[in-house]
Amino acid sequence: MIDLTVPASVAAPFVVATAHPLDDPVRAARGRVGLPLAAELLGSSLLRVRGRPVAESGYADLIRTAARARPEEAHLLDGARHHIVITGHAPPVSQPAHAQAVREIARAVAEACDGVVYDAWSHQVLPHAFRRGPEHPEFCLADDWLATFVTGEEGREEGAGEGRGQNDELHLVTAGLHRFGFPELEAAAVPGGNLFAAVTLLRCLAVGLLDEHWAWLACNPGAPLRRVPAEARVDGADVWRYWAAEPTGAAGAPVRVRLRPAPPEGADGLPYLMVGPPAGFDAPAALWWNDVVDLAMPYVPEAPRRTAA
């Protein structure tokens, strides 16, 4: 079993980068939010909204290195001289509804000032058009809540796999689960040719683990410690739950994976779970990724992403 520390409260920070600062961001958002919880949070002690010049917000360097859903929109950040930081605080048992409400407020503020939204947990700048429209009432991870970053084992630059060789060993890490009081997922020594299957595995695993986590939190509100099995079952069919889409084609097969706490590294001090072959798999890990994971995870050539509400 693995012991997980459950934080008493989790912050949900979003940053709106804009060239047109607002005198009163909360007032500007009031008439634009649709979720009842978002309206309740505005002006409450669970939400903090502050405007700062870019150099004083504390997020300038992070945003500069963030992933961008639309690289061609980089000029929007170049013209931004002001950051409006919107941060919600809530216990993990209040997720994901609380995070959705805070993000809807960020979207409303961005719409009011023609800004772009940076999600600090998933470390990505969301598309400029993201500011239009409400949050979808049904939560789904594919709605820009989870990112997967890929690097070479020797510290090569991050990327989505373009130009990777079949023999490259890649390191994958998710970003976005910490906001729900759950560790991020890591996979090491993934053969370059199995990148797509590895990303699919992490997405499916995240869907299943989060559902279990929220069910446990609902029965154990305020509990500071949770014990989880060191082995999990990943169902390839969960890729459709990840996208909140109707299944098309093969559903995929279940895969057993072993989970173990990653050694503490870096300055963030946050927990990560390493994902690898199950106990008893006595062949090299590369064979597991190629002969088990790659064959089990369904191939989805185009993201079956749903539209906004």
Side-chain angles (χ1 to χ4, degrees):
M1 300 292 284
I2 300 172
D3 291 335
L4 298 182
T5 299
V6 181
S9 180
V10 179
F14 296 91
V15 182
V16 176
T18 180
H20 311 288
L22 299 172
D23 292 334
D24 191 343
V26 171
R27 181 178 179 182
R30 282 193 189 279
R32 298 174 186 265
V33 297
L35 292 176
L37 181 55
E40 292 175 15
L41 286 177
L42 286 168
S44 79
S45 61
L46 298 178
L47 186 80
R48 183 185 183 194
V49 180
R50 58 187 178 91
R52 295 286 189 275
V54 166
E56 300 175 12
S57 74
Y59 284 93
D61 290 340
L62 285 171
I63 293 177
R64 193 176 299 115
T65 61
R68 293 173 176 81
R70 301 287 186 274
E72 66 273 14
E73 295 179 351
H75 67 282
L76 297 172
L77 288 175
D78 294 338
R81 297 291 180 268
H82 200 79
H83 285 168
I84 302 171
V85 183
I86 298 133
T87 308
H89 294 271
V93 71
S94 299
Q95 303 297 357
H98 183 269
Q100 287 181 289
V102 175
R103 194 172 76 167
E104 179 162 280
I105 293 170
R107 295 172 78 152
V109 170
E111 183 182 12
C113 65
D114 193 28
V116 292
V117 178
Y118 166 70
D119 177 0
W121 275 124
S122 66
H123 192 46
Q124 55 187 342
V125 176
L126 303 175
H128 191 218
F130 177 82
R131 71 197 193 285
R132 299 194 185 96
E135 284 289 317
H136 200 290
E138 178 191 1
F139 176 83
C140 119
L141 274 177
D143 286 342
D144 295 307
W145 290 107
L146 186 71
T148 304
F149 291 90
V150 184
T151 67
E153 296 288 58
E154 299 304 320
R156 292 186 290 272
E157 293 184 358
E158 293 176 352
E162 182 178 351
R164 301 287 186 184
Q166 293 289 314
N167 296 323
D168 287 345
E169 286 194 345
L170 307 178
H171 181 272
L172 281 65
V173 61
T174 64
L177 299 179
H178 281 137
R179 79 175 98 229
F180 304 124
F182 196 82
E184 300 295 346
L185 304 176
E186 282 191 66
V190 176
N194 304 130
L195 173 59
F196 187 92
V199 171
T200 302
L201 178 82
L202 294 183
R203 288 172 172 174
C204 293
L205 184 58
V207 168
L209 291 177
L210 271 185
D211 277 358
E212 292 174 2
H213 190 56
W214 288 329
W216 182 89
L217 288 171
C219 297
N220 300 273
L225 187 69
R226 181 189 169 202
R227 305 199 77 196
V228 300
E231 189 166 292
R233 180 181 182 272
V234 180
D235 192 334
D238 281 343
V239 70
W240 306 111
R241 284 207 294 157
Y242 172 82
W243 293 108
E246 291 297 324
T248 60
V255 175
R256 290 187 304 118
V257 302
R258 181 188 179 194
L259 302 175
R260 58 184 177 86
E265 295 180 358
D268 59 15
L270 296 171
Y272 291 78
L273 290 178
M274 296 295 300
V275 178
F281 187 86
D282 55 3
L287 290 180
W288 180 73
W289 287 108
N290 190 67
D291 296 352
V292 178
V293 177
D294 201 80
L295 295 178
M297 293 296 102
Y299 176 65
V300 184
E302 295 183 6
R305 192 176 195 135
R306 69 182 181 195
T307 57

